[in-house]
Amino acid sequence: MTSNPPSGAKVDKVRQDYDEQASMYNVLLQWPFGQLESQLFASAVGRDDFCRGATVLDLGGGTGLRARQALEAGAARVDVVDFSDEMMAVGRRDGEALLGDSESARRLRWFHGDATKPLFGGGSYCTAETGRGRKEGAGTVGVPGLSPPYDVVMANWVFDHVDKPEVLEAIWQNIAAAVGPGGRFVGVRACDPRCEAMISGRYGPTCQDFAEFPKGLYYSSTIPSTGEGQPAIHLENASLEVSYSGSTEMHERHGFGDVEIEPCGELDVVRADPDFWQAWIDQPGFVVVKARKK
């Protein structure tokens, strides 16, 4: 559940939530939900040399969990863009601890940016994070330092803090602008958060507080405490039906074809206890989607 803002007044609240809870966010990996997500994403980027030698843009990359998986899958470089300074600070610390002064560490770059604003020009967004410093200027367009076209664009959970079609459209415009012809897209997105897998708590995180709005659904999500002195993590979400329903409309509108869902049935975590995962297989809480730019 990586970080990216919705429209309107909720932007600052979501950013504040992620900033305040950044240091606890990776507790997700201790729950079956997080273990499944990690294995499913690794499967998606590891098959068919998906990331081998690729330049990768990670929109809403948060603490860099998926960026490091892309590096492990052979990516030549990963540029992480996120609007939460604290999430990226955790990501840089984790990267230093896990990667050290290795070649992989030097292939990971961090940029402060908002995936709902123009990242590569044509708009007025003006904030960039490069290394230690953060620069802002009211005339700058895009995020300096990003270097499209990329071979792969990742957008994990970025569609699930969006309550307006025009904001979703803006994210997809960035995705389409970032990747060249024949390039790839991969992203984690929510399915219907009212499904049994997401309200039962069986897999750890839960969704609740559902409220429909035209063409979408507001809800909150909770990553439970592990019982080790850490509080639960609470986030506000909004998903448009065109995303959570499984429609490929947005992919196709922005020039992507060969849309496919990464299968989960053969993952180690699922094969170890298929009965436990049956409810998820019947109606998953999220999926990993891949597509190719035409």
Side-chain angles (χ1 to χ4, degrees), residues 52-250:
R52 182 69 57 187
T55 56
V56 179
L57 178 66
D58 186 5
L59 294 180
T63 61
L65 288 171
R66 306 299 158 236
R68 292 195 297 274
Q69 285 186 293
L71 290 175
E72 291 169 2
R77 188 184 77 245
V78 182
D79 289 347
V80 178
V81 175
D82 202 275
F83 81 136
S84 168
D85 290 327
E86 292 302 320
M87 292 284 279
M88 290 194 296
V90 170
R92 286 193 294 271
R93 288 196 298 268
D94 287 351
E96 291 171 0
L98 295 170
L99 303 176
D101 188 28
S102 66
E103 181 184 353
S104 291
R106 292 187 288 274
R107 290 186 282 137
L108 182 60
R109 305 194 302 172
W110 301 87
F111 297 84
H112 184 104
D114 178 348
T116 71
K117 303 296 196 313
L119 296 177
F120 312 110
S124 60
Y125 187 60
C126 62
T127 311
E129 170 80 29
T130 53
R132 296 181 180 179
R134 174 175 172 176
K135 298 180 180 180
E136 298 182 3
T140 309
V141 175
V143 176
L146 297 181
S147 50
Y150 291 88
D151 300 310
V152 175
V153 175
M154 308 194 303
N156 299 307
W157 298 109
V158 298
F159 308 129
D160 300 299
H161 298 291
V162 175
D163 60 359
K164 295 185 184 301
E166 58 267 30
V167 176
L168 183 65
E169 177 72 20
I171 296 173
W172 274 103
Q173 287 175 353
N174 277 323
I175 293 170
V179 65
R184 308 293 289 271
F185 165 82
V186 60
V188 181
R189 66 153 175 83
C191 299
D192 192 326
R194 297 165 293 192
C195 70
E196 179 65 21
M198 293 309 303
I199 64 175
S200 67
R202 182 180 182 86
Y203 305 105
T206 58
C207 294
Q208 54 277 317
D209 304 323
F210 304 109
E212 293 185 1
F213 62 88
K215 300 183 180 181
L217 186 69
Y218 290 118
Y219 55 101
S220 64
S221 56
T222 301
I223 303 174
S225 167
T226 60
E228 299 173 356
Q230 291 200 2
I233 295 174
H234 300 284
L235 300 169
E236 298 298 321
N237 300 84
S239 297
L240 291 168
E241 187 175 5
V242 70
S243 290
Y244 74 71
S245 67
S247 169
T248 61
E249 175 184 341
M250 299 303 294

Side-chain angles (χ1 to χ4, degrees), residues 276-293:
F276 175 77
W277 287 102
Q278 190 60 53
W280 187 280
I281 292 170
D282 291 342
Q283 193 173 10
F286 67 78
V287 291
V288 175
V289 184
K290 299 194 293 187
R292 185 182 293 274
K293 187 78 172 290

